[in-house]
Amino acid sequence: MSSYQPWCHGNITRSKAEDLLSKAARDGSFLIRDSESIQGAYALCVLYQNCVYTYRILPNEDKKLSVQASEGVPIRFFSMLPELVEAYYSPNMGLVTHLQYPVQREEEVDEEPESNILPPQLPPRNFDVKDSEQPCKNLSDTFLMRLQNMDLSTIPEEHQMAIQDYFRNLVCSDAEHLQNGHPYLPGLKKLTQAICKNLNSEISRILPALEVFHRVLDQQLSPGIGQFSKQVGDASQSFSSRLEQLTKLLYSIEDKVKYRALLVFFNLQVKQDSLGISTKMFLKVDVESGKLYFKKSKDGPEDKYFVHNKILQLVKSQKLLGKLHIMVETEKEKILRKEFVFDNTKKREGFCQLLQQMKNKHSEKPEPDMITVFIGTWNMGNAGPPHNFNSWFQCKGQGKTRDDTADHIPHDFYVIGTQEDPLGEREWADTVKGVLRNITNISFKQVAIHTLWSIRIVVLAKPEHDNRISHIFTDSVKTGIANTLGNKGAVGVSFMFNGTSFGFVNSHLTSGSEKKLRRNQNYTSILRFLNLTDKKLNPFDITHQFTHLFWFGDLNYRVEFPSGEAENIVAKIKQQQYQELLSRDQLSMERNDGKVFLHFDEEEITFAPTYRFERDTREKYAYTKAKATGTKYNLPSWCDRVLRKSYPLVHVVCQAYGCTNDIMTSDHSPLFASFEVGVASQFVSKQGPNSAPQGGIQIMNCVATLLTKSKTKFFIEYHSSCLEKTVKTSEGENIEHSEGSIKVRFSNQVKLIPIISDPEYLLDQHILICIKSTDSDESYGEGCVALRAAQFCHTEFHITLTHHGEKTGTLTGGIQLDTSEGKTTEKLYDFIKIERDDTVTTKGKGADLNKFSTTQAHDISNPSYMEVSLQRGNVIDKGWSYSMPPKNIPTAGQGGKESKKGGYDVGTRSPTGKSSNPILYDSAEREKEALQTDPFFPRGEGEKVSEMFDNPLYGSMGKAHGWGKAQDHQQKDHLPPQVPIFTTFKAAEGDPDRPPLPTPRNRSYTCSETKPQPPTPIALYPSTHKKPVVPSRSEGGVAQNRPPLPSKSRPGVPEPQTTKPRDYRDSSELPSKQRPPARPGQPLTACRVR
């Protein structure tokens, strides 16, 4: 396409084209843009009677262009676009009206050229130019002369003769081989074999012994190790390869010995309350042996301990941030609850990570279900790094940081993004590997490295994950001046880790406080054109292509204050008063307006702005910069950020987010973030292919509301790795065409056949949904549905549709999962729970410790699952919601057997575990109950909720344990009728066999009236009044007058016996009125355990 033509708009979006034509407001106005569905094709957009008509321009095999106009009009072919446009200025060419007024391009936002916009220079070659230009004879003489000037007294005479013979007779032949393009150096090989003759035989003798030693140290034997001996004994291997094997093996042995020496054990001092008196205790974690010791003194006896498989649960208190409950099982299968208080939250987190690592180390699972990922971003300011920058990778400095006990716990992946990086790729990668090896004593493997000018991304992984990583992609996008310079832009890396996809984007956006709109354009360009997957997911941008997407870098968004407020800002930073500054943070404001990073998450910022410091100090911000045009102000800002976006109902927790304060070579401080991420394994079914019935995924009653006035027909495409191929529906029925939007009903029920029907596999899968037009095959919105939402029974979903980072509508419907017989296993990340408040128990003496009461439990390890922002305290749009049943309903194929362990129902905790309590549960009750137990939900006076949060990935536990007979009493649900979260629609009466494929020579008919803004979210539910729950005395709650006595220490009172096994979070005191009523007029949709 010729860029100088006024009607030529290149790769603008469909919605942008509609806006431009609407502003033109003249019949016959037109423009041409690139097609979004077919590469090399175009879209001709024409305005007529306030509507936009879109015609596809397709090239044929000879690259001739033709317009798909009205039927019956002869097809004409053109060699060039200007020739085509000129012809369609004439009337009666098959268009709704002939072309008259070309719509001009919008002027690009001016961007001042920066002083440093040249690509980085290549480092000088490390060789003597004079020597390289001399003939071969002179080269030999030069080396011999250098050899004579060296001290050879320590070298055996036979080795001296061999070296001299090489430089005299063989170096020239090797040089000729290189000049002819042959990397093989026969002369050098002959010399090394002669010198290392004895060493070669010695390697063959010692390698088997080192291999055995290495296997003993290795915690999990890799399938490839057994082949190592064969490789060692292979005489065809070159000596250098065998020497490299020996070096790597020695390094690996040294790393493993050091690593295990560091993690042999940790002693942590804690407090334990007994009789109201706080006493010191010591917890010793022996990672290697898998034991947790409880000691009264640091050097006390170690006779009281619990093995890793007897440590059942860690429950963090949310009220007292240092408190931790440890649930352990005794030899008599009795559940004990140990309560300890750490010095601070960081100590508690470090202890939890140690226990998690210990359980993972001794796990019998062949593949991990949780890994940790380090994300680092640093604008190096064209200066090399300091000698020591360990603190960056140890997450030390300001903000949310890791405890010292986690210093030597390595992450599984390290993803490092740099901007204005002056080093070469290899030099920087080797530097980072060296720092990590110094910290962790592990030689990390390089997964990928990619550079665009001075923007770079490096991904390193533990060596043990080598066989789990596949499908590696890298790409870059330039967003510098005219999108042609690489001084600004992004680099990306993606890969599969077993069954989970990861995407990482490091970007450097336009600088300058006033360039906010240009930064937004940079983001959109990167999102649209960064290609990190194969062509199967072409309809989706990178925000939908990966299970977990991490976007970081120097995003350059500033705080919007007048330049005269600079001193004021610095004063607030010194006082750590960040909230007022963050309220004017450009990135936060743009995200709130839905302009960039829609549905992304960012951890709360609790650290000082990372830009712009004076170099060699972190005590002073350099917020003024002298330029030829005058003084430029760079107010202290949070330019460097880490954001993430994951599929619904997956596990991801941010463990650290902050910046260093001891790395001062740049005007930016390095930023770090640490994440705990759930992953799916490459599933291998334990059942034969014909032993189980074929499962299915049923999707029904889909209704899409699209923010467009196009009158074309639409169909849905379903994409997923669990499906053999993409599935397309028939055309939907356009049932409503209101101002600025159109509603489409897809009445036909769709059944998707997964390649594996085992629930262990299916519950980790997601369905990507794309709504397309039948004439242009262009996407009008994409979304994602988690199959885990339909784990127990039919579930209604409501997802936000997006396209190119913009909201384009919504989609509601129902999903039901049919799986084969099977059970799912508990995930490692379910080992740790978070308790909202201290527990309360029944009153009176001799209370049963196994019956201490806790109200409704939800896990808030990822608060976004409940669509609750803990930072802002309001309901936020996450892009999806589900009417999920309680998770203690068993999955398909599971029975309702009781837990074998008394007093501790593991199945109730587990996302896929069994349940012993059959219940009836209505989806409407689930929605209301989730809000009633929400700590940020408005309540009446005197109301109190004491609760522990169960894992919302898999739905609430429900209040089955606390429901009494009075729960039959129904109250009115005050859900506002204008908030249609889930809707079931009547089946359409259209032709179900209508083909969904695009038909040629059809046009897209689009009205151009101004689009209304999407409605602002309103409160979903008004306040409901409940009777306050009065806390009783218990081990976890304190009475008003005196502390409680443990039942076993009360003289004369026998220890109560548990008459019925129950979960330690069961509640018998919940008021029956807490049961939320069903919505008026809504039938009860229940799931019954049989």
Side-chain angles (χ1 to χ4, degrees), residues 1050-1066:
R1050 292 171 184 163
V1053 180
E1055 183 174 350
Q1057 300 297 320
T1058 304
T1059 58
K1060 179 182 178 181
R1062 62 186 295 125
D1063 185 84
Y1064 71 93
R1065 295 169 296 184
D1066 284 354

Side-chain angles (χ1 to χ4, degrees), residues 206 210 245-255 437:
I206 64 175
L210 290 176
Q245 283 184 340
L246 175 63
T247 305
K248 286 183 176 179
L249 189 57
L250 289 172
Y251 271 130
S252 180
I253 290 173
E254 181 183 356
D255 292 344
R437 188 170 182 274

